[in-house]
Amino acid sequence: MMQNVHLAPETDEDDLYSGYNDYNPTYDTEELENDTAFQQAVRTSHGRRPPITAKIPSTAVSRPVATGYGSKTSLVSSMGRPMTGAIQDGVTRPMTAVRAAGFTKGALRGSAFDPLGQSWGPAPPLEARSEDSPEEKIRQLEKKVNELVEESCIANSCGDLKLALEKAKDAGRKERVLVRQREQVTRPENINLDLTYSVLFNLASQYSANEMYAEALNTYQVIVKNKMFSNAGRLKVNMGNIYLKQRNYSKAIKFYRMALDQIPSVHKEMRIKIMQNIGVTFIKTGQYSDAISSFEHIMSMAPNLKAGFNLILSYFAIGDREKMKKSFQKLIAVPLEIDEDDKYISPSDDPHTNLVIEAIKNDHLRQMERERKAMAEKYIMTAAKLIAPVIETSFAVGYDWCVEVVKASQYVELANDLEINKAITYLRQKDFNQAVETLKMFEKKDSRVKSAAATNLSFLYYLENEFAQASSYADLAVNSDRYNPSALTNKGNTVFASGDYEKAAEFYKEALRNDCSCTEALYNIGLTYKKLNRLDEALDCFLKLHAILRNSAQVLYQIANVYELMEDPSQAMEWLMQLISVVPTDSRALSKLGGLYDSEGDKSQAFQYYYESYRYFPSNIEVIEWLGAYYIDTQFCEKAIQYFERASLIQPTQVKWQLMVASCFRRSGNYQKALDTYKDIHRKFPENVECLRFLVRLCTDIGLKEVQEYATKLKRLEKMKEIREQRIKSGRDSSGCPRGRRDGSAGSDSGQNCSAGSKGERLSAQLRALPGTDEPYESSSNKEPDASYVDPLGPQIERPKTAAKKRMEEDDFADEELGDDLLPE
């Protein structure tokens, strides 16, 4: 028994790594050259056998497999183990998977050993896909539909709504063809529903963008009613938006609520937006209590600025003061979720840090933060101005409450702006003293607020024509903030009022250098150049302003006026036409355009614009006079009567309009009406010589007995007029006649005789000028009529001056020079 027990030698007790260097001599490749068995195997066919397989015997041990030579003898390899298929002790060693290794019996019959099949040659080419196959046609059509949908979306984002709609329609047509082809080739359940949904949804969106609301609703209905589309019920929000645009508020609320029911509670943001739409719709319908419920829920779940502002509007509509205060406090407490501005200030002089701060100072995130903050300030300022006059007994107390609430919030800087708005409210109430007192409180504040208050004070004093005070506060505003364009503009206005146009232009230029978007300064510098007769520079200013304010009527008028001053009537008419397209009811612009056409000799166009001007403003005497004269020139005296009657109503103390009415009756052959009109004029103006002259003539022709009475009155009036003129002339010559005597000239008597002689000649001429029975109804006298009347029908007719020959008065810019901080809307 002990012979099988082996004790470890004592010398190996401490050798922990013993045995690791022992290895099987089979793996000793250095002695292969001296191995006789190995060398014999290499020289014989054993060296061409496949590599030795794994040591694990094959499972196929049930039947012996001979070697390629069919030998049954036991063969031993150089490593001392039997070869595969050799017989040892009457047992055949199992064969390995020689066929899988590429060894077959055919290899021994002369065929080359090719386990990888490389002798077969290259593989045959793949069969080309047939483009005429139904599957390939469907695949290409589906790709085309996707491309059309993408092109439609891109066109919509670029603003080309018409092209986007055309692409969407084309995609819809091709998608229907695609569905029919799929139904013919495959089963209906293999139809691409996602593609159908995207095509229909894009088509409905493009219909809505093009304001084709009926078609958009029909397309949305197709999507919503199809049960195969998952989550299609959410599109009812879009349908509600369309009904809201159509002012169908009841259906809008219905669809909003249906969409709200189909959106799970996990989508909180979407549900909040839908509830906000519901609240806005309730406000439009006047259901303020329901709107309050929606906005109160929003402010309790996820407060935001829009919901808070709409909640204040709702409480303002029902007049609940306490709830307005609470809602204003909730609006103030809405978190902005933006970082402080301190992170954009470099804490050290590290150049790398400075570069990073400079890069992020005006990036998209910073711009978004600014927009969010500006929107919050706008909502708070508007809400404060809305509720301040109603939450307390007076608007001043209400403003003070709002200011205190704002000071205790994160919007501390808005408190000063509210104070300035308080002063502006005093202005709107015509309480200038309180406004001035409120603004003067800012003289000791920081520079920005002080500059804004001083700018408003300067403007107030400018409106009251106290230019010294206006200039003083303008200087204060400029010194407080040299980069305030409104302060510089008001300073320029005060200098302009004093007549120093060159210096005023310098202030306006400085305002433009500080803020190139200061349109007030650009407008005023154009007016300044007009005063300096630098018309080219004035035109350049107004054209630049027109590029900024495309539809400003004042700018268009100034451009037309400058072209008229430059004696370019064609350009002036073109710009006046643009002005009329902006303000088609401006009677002054229409009359101005009519005057330009009249100066160019185009009477028909001039009449058209003069008539339009009269239609919009029938009290312009110049337009009335031109229209009456036009109808007289065209021999339509009956139509001229209504215009002169209108003028007599506007100026009842002016006798010339009533005389023109009577003259029109005479020209049209209605002598009886003319006689009655002259008699009525004589009763109102008994000392009018021209009226008596025509009365004498008409009575003589008709054979009335009153002719002698009117003739006697006419002679008496003419005699009195001559005596009055003689006294006036003698009073003028009284200082000249003695001087002639002192000079020793004999011209004094001759001068008196000449004066008397001329007076006698005028009197006899007037007597001879009395109309006879066979004379026409126009006055044959060459004597000038009364200064208050010029008969347009007689030989002394005087046409009204055309508007083209008159220069427009320089516009008084009292409001145009306001800065952005002065009187906000």
Side-chain angles (χ1 to χ4, degrees):
M1 176 183 290
M2 293 299 295
Q3 62 183 357
N4 296 327
V5 178
H6 301 279
L7 297 176
E10 296 180 0
T11 58
D12 295 334
E13 291 180 359
D14 297 330
D15 190 3
L16 300 176
Y17 299 96
S18 60
Y20 282 95
N21 292 328
D22 299 334
Y23 62 95
N24 193 338
T26 305
Y27 299 108
D28 188 4
T29 59
E30 296 179 358
E31 299 297 331
L32 290 179
E33 294 180 357
N34 300 325
D35 190 345
T36 306
F38 179 79
Q39 293 297 330
Q40 184 183 1
V42 170
R43 288 192 295 269
T44 61
S45 61
H46 290 279
R48 294 191 295 271
R49 288 176 60 83
I52 301 173
T53 58
K55 295 180 180 181
I56 301 174
S58 173
T59 56
V61 295
S62 58
R63 61 184 182 88
V65 181
T67 62
Y69 291 96
S71 175
K72 301 296 183 180
T73 62
S74 175
L75 298 178
V76 181
S77 69
S78 62
M79 293 178 287
R81 68 180 182 85
M83 299 297 293
T84 304
I87 301 174
Q88 187 178 10
D89 299 331
V91 179
T92 305
R93 188 177 185 274
M95 289 289 292
T96 57
V98 293
R99 184 177 297 277
F103 183 81
T104 59
K105 291 182 179 181
L108 300 177
R109 300 189 183 98
S111 61
F113 178 71
D114 188 14
L116 300 179
Q118 296 178 357
S119 61
W120 297 348
L126 297 175
E127 295 182 3
R129 183 178 294 173
S130 176
E131 296 183 358
D132 296 333
S133 63
E135 292 81 2
E136 184 63 22
K137 289 182 178 180
I138 290 174
R139 193 175 294 107
Q140 292 296 328
L141 189 56
E142 185 174 334
K143 181 179 178 181
K144 180 63 176 176
V145 171
N146 280 315
E147 291 176 354
L148 287 172
V149 172
E150 292 178 1
E151 292 173 1
S152 175
C153 297
I154 293 173
N156 182 280
S157 63
C158 295
D160 194 348
L161 301 180
K162 185 176 180 181
L163 177 62
L165 180 59
E166 291 298 328
K167 294 287 185 181
K169 289 181 178 179
D170 195 10
R173 288 191 291 266
K174 284 184 170 52
E175 194 274 334
R176 287 192 292 271
V177 175
L178 175 63
V179 170
R180 287 195 294 268
Q181 290 185 3
R182 278 191 178 275
E183 290 176 349
Q184 295 174 2
V185 176
T186 61
R187 289 178 294 179
E189 56 268 17
N190 293 331
I191 296 176
N192 191 348
L193 292 177
D194 292 337
L195 180 62
T196 304
Y197 179 87
S198 62
V199 168
L200 291 174
F201 178 67
N202 179 61
L203 181 60
S205 300
Q206 303 308 331
Y207 275 134
S208 179
N210 285 270
E211 297 183 357
M212 301 173 66
Y213 298 131
E215 292 82 353
L217 288 173
N218 292 335
T219 309
Y220 279 127
Q221 286 287 356
V222 172
I223 302 175
V224 170
K225 291 182 177 180
N226 194 334
K227 302 300 182 183
M228 300 178 69
F229 296 139
S230 60
N231 299 325
R234 299 183 182 185
L235 295 182
K236 292 180 180 178
V237 177
N238 296 7
M239 300 176 71
N241 292 337
I242 293 176
Y243 282 121
L244 184 63
K245 292 178 182 178
Q246 293 179 334
R247 298 184 179 181
N248 192 345
Y249 301 123
S250 59
K251 281 194 173 182
I253 294 172
K254 174 183 175 182
F255 276 88
Y256 284 144
R257 286 177 170 171
M258 292 169 65
L260 189 64
D261 294 338
Q262 297 188 10
I263 293 179
S265 58
V266 294
H267 301 289
K268 293 182 179 179
E269 186 176 356
M270 188 64 183
R271 291 179 63 87
I272 289 297
K273 290 182 178 180
I274 295 176
M275 291 191 68
Q276 190 161 323
N277 285 7
I278 293 174
V280 171
T281 310
F282 277 130
I283 288 179
K284 290 183 176 294
T285 58
Q287 303 178 35
Y288 299 111
S289 59
D290 295 331
I292 288 171
S293 301
S294 298
F295 293 129
E296 285 285 5
H297 178 73
I298 295 172
M299 294 301 290
S300 63
M301 297 295 296
N304 62 76
L305 295 170
K306 290 183 179 180
F309 182 72
N310 288 330
L311 182 61
I312 293 175
L313 289 180
S314 302
Y315 281 126
F316 177 81
I318 63 176
D320 194 333
R321 296 184 178 182
E322 294 301 324
K323 292 295 180 66
M324 276 189 274
K325 290 183 178 181
K326 293 181 181 179
S327 300
F328 186 74
Q329 292 172 342
K330 290 180 181 180
L331 178 64
I332 291 287
V334 172
L336 283 180
E337 299 178 357
I338 61 175
D339 295 332
E340 299 293 333
D341 294 338
D342 297 340
K343 72 175 183 180
Y344 300 106
I345 301 175
S346 177
S348 63
D349 294 333
D350 184 10
H352 179 71
T353 305
N354 293 336
L355 286 175
V356 172
I357 292 176
E358 191 67 26
I360 67 174
K361 188 176 293 185
N362 199 31
D363 60 354
H364 291 292
L365 179 61
R366 175 61 172 161
Q367 293 175 3
M368 186 188 73
E369 290 177 349
R370 288 175 180 170
E371 292 174 0
R372 187 177 181 84
K373 186 175 181 180
M375 182 181 67
E377 292 177 353
K378 178 182 177 182
Y379 280 134
I380 293 171
M381 292 291 294
T382 307
K385 289 188 290 185
L386 179 69
I387 68 174
V390 298
I391 58 176
E392 297 292 346
T393 55
S394 65
F395 87 93
V397 180
Y399 263 107
D400 293 338
W401 182 88
C402 292
V403 168
E404 293 300 325
V405 173
V406 171
K407 284 182 178 179
S409 68
Q410 56 183 329
Y411 305 98
V412 182
E413 64 275 6
L414 291 181
N416 293 325
D417 295 336
L418 279 176
E419 290 282 357
I420 292 178
N421 277 303
K422 179 181 177 182
I424 293 174
T425 307
Y426 277 125
L427 285 179
R428 291 172 178 168
Q429 294 182 354
K430 309 298 182 182
D431 193 348
F432 297 103
N433 295 328
Q434 287 290 341
V436 171
E437 292 297 325
T438 305
L439 292 172
K440 285 183 177 179
M441 293 169 56
F442 292 95
E443 293 184 5
K444 297 181 180 180
K445 295 290 182 71
D446 62 317
S447 59
R448 186 188 68 85
V449 180
K450 184 193 299 184
S451 178
T455 302
N456 284 279
L457 285 170
S458 173
F459 172 66
L460 280 175
Y461 285 119
Y462 182 85
L463 291 181
E464 294 179 353
N465 293 328
E466 297 182 14
F467 299 121
Q469 289 282 357
S471 180
S472 174
Y473 279 102
D475 291 334
L476 177 61
V478 172
N479 294 332
S480 301
D481 185 3
R482 188 70 187 183
Y483 299 99
N484 185 352
S486 301
L488 292 167
T489 302
N490 278 351
K491 180 60 181 176
N493 293 343
T494 58
V495 177
F496 186 95
S498 64
D500 192 351
Y501 303 122
E502 292 287 353
K503 190 174 180 181
E506 292 300 324
F507 280 106
Y508 296 141
K509 289 179 182 178
E510 186 175 356
L512 286 173
R513 285 194 294 269
N514 294 334
D515 183 7
C516 60
S517 63
C518 184
T519 55
E520 295 83 5
L522 187 58
Y523 183 85
N524 289 348
I525 198 173
L527 295 179
T528 306
Y529 285 143
K530 278 180 62 179
K531 284 286 188 181
L532 295 171
N533 201 27
R534 292 156 63 176
L535 299 179
D536 291 332
E537 297 179 51
L539 181 63
D540 185 51
C541 291
F542 290 127
L543 288 175
K544 289 180 180 177
L545 195 58
H546 175 65
I548 301 173
L549 307 174
R550 303 295 299 180
N551 294 325
S552 174
Q554 292 177 335
V555 176
L556 292 171
Y557 173 77
Q558 291 296 338
I559 295 174
N561 182 235
V562 171
Y563 273 120
E564 184 185 0
L565 295 176
M566 296 172 68
E567 297 181 357
D568 190 350
S570 60
Q571 285 290 334
M573 287 188 288
E574 180 179 347
W575 284 98
L576 282 174
M577 291 292 291
Q578 294 188 34
L579 173 60
I580 291 174
S581 66
V582 175
V583 279
T585 60
D586 191 336
S587 61
R588 186 177 180 185
L590 290 167
S591 63
K592 183 66 179 176
L593 189 57
L596 288 174
Y597 275 112
D598 186 26
S599 65
E600 293 295 310
D602 193 345
K603 296 291 184 181
S604 60
Q605 285 287 351
F607 170 75
Q608 176 183 350
Y609 289 111
Y610 271 122
Y611 181 78
E612 289 294 317
S613 175
Y614 172 79
R615 191 163 65 89
Y616 290 117
F617 183 63
S619 299
N620 191 333
I621 294 297
E622 294 182 359
V623 174
I624 291 173
E625 189 174 4
W626 192 93
L627 289 172
Y630 173 81
Y631 278 119
I632 290 173
D633 287 345
T634 54
Q635 305 299 323
F636 291 100
C637 299
E638 298 88 350
K639 292 185 178 180
I641 293 173
Q642 59 176 333
Y643 296 103
F644 294 132
E645 286 180 345
R646 168 77 62 169
S648 65
L649 292 175
I650 298 171
Q651 296 179 346
T653 58
Q654 295 289 333
V655 67
K656 63 178 181 179
W657 306 120
Q658 301 182 39
L659 289 173
M660 287 180 179
V661 173
S663 298
C664 290
F665 280 125
R666 287 192 297 108
R667 279 297 182 94
S668 61
N670 194 346
Y671 303 130
Q672 185 60 44
K673 190 68 176 177
L675 180 62
D676 295 339
T677 305
Y678 280 125
K679 288 181 179 180
D680 187 55
I681 296 171
H682 179 63
R683 284 193 298 271
K684 295 178 181 178
F685 304 94
E687 295 184 357
N688 187 270
V689 177
E690 192 71 20
C691 179
L692 283 172
R693 185 176 293 121
F694 283 111
L695 278 173
V696 170
R697 184 170 302 175
L698 284 172
C699 291
T700 302
D701 281 348
I702 299 175
L704 298 179
K705 298 179 180 179
E706 295 95 335
V707 60
Q708 191 61 39
E709 177 185 356
Y710 293 131
T712 304
K713 290 181 180 180
L714 178 61
K715 291 178 182 179
R716 188 187 313 114
L717 286 175
E718 289 180 344
K719 186 175 182 180
M720 291 174 62
K721 189 173 181 180
E722 290 297 330
I723 294 172
R724 190 181 302 114
E725 291 178 357
Q726 183 180 3
R727 288 176 180 175
I728 294 173
K729 186 173 181 60
S730 61
R732 292 174 181 171
D733 296 341
S734 59
S735 59
C737 292
R739 187 181 301 115
R741 294 190 185 97
R742 285 194 303 268
D743 293 339
S745 63
S748 60
D749 295 336
S750 62
Q752 292 175 2
N753 293 334
C754 290
S755 175
S758 62
K759 182 183 71 172
E761 289 174 1
R762 286 196 300 272
L763 182 60
S764 61
Q766 290 172 358
L767 293 176
R768 289 194 302 271
L770 291 178
T773 55
D774 55 346
E775 292 180 357
Y777 292 114
E778 286 74 19
S779 174
S780 59
S781 172
N782 293 327
K783 177 184 175 299
E784 291 290 337
D786 189 11
S788 62
Y789 167 69
V790 177
D791 187 3
L793 305 181
Q796 304 296 331
I797 182 171
E798 179 181 343
R799 293 298 307 277
K801 296 181 180 179
T802 60
K805 295 180 181 178
K806 300 177 182 178
R807 298 299 185 194
M808 286 187 176
E809 298 179 358
E810 295 295 336
D811 288 336
D812 181 16
F813 55 105
D815 294 331
E816 289 82 76
E817 58 269 41
L818 299 184
D820 296 335
D821 300 330
L822 301 186
L823 291 179
E825 295 181 0

